[in-house]
Amino acid sequence: MDYVAAIFPSIGVLAIFVVAIRAIFQADRRERLAQAAQDRRLTADEKARDGKSGQTHTSQSVKPADS
């Protein structure tokens, strides 16, 4: 019966490890879904803005260098 008592701490540590890793993966998945949803909203907003004003989206304007 000593061998059963000796393995219980290892099983406990394994259970804690599994719960922690599962929580990390779930948090990562939720973060990726939230980021994708935000990217879709921003893309839709940019397309709506570009469509209303008739302009295409451009990066920041660059001023000519003084020569």
Side-chain angles (χ1 to χ4, degrees):
M1 200 64 172
D2 290 335
Y3 58 89
V4 175
I7 200 162
F8 275 143
S10 297
I11 292 172
V13 170
L14 176 65
I16 292 170
F17 178 76
V18 168
V19 169
I21 294 299
R22 187 169 183 242
I24 290 169
F25 281 132
Q26 287 178 348
D28 182 58
R29 184 177 66 228
R30 285 190 302 263
E31 182 180 3
R32 288 175 188 260
L33 289 172
Q35 184 67 39
Q38 183 179 8
D39 289 345
R40 283 192 302 272
R41 282 193 304 270
L42 289 174
T43 302
D45 289 347
E46 287 177 356
K47 286 182 180 180
R49 248 187 320 216
D50 290 344
K52 288 180 184 176
S53 65
Q55 298 175 354
T56 58
H57 179 70
T58 58
S59 61
Q60 296 175 347
S61 61
V62 178
K63 294 180 182 178
D66 294 331
S67 301

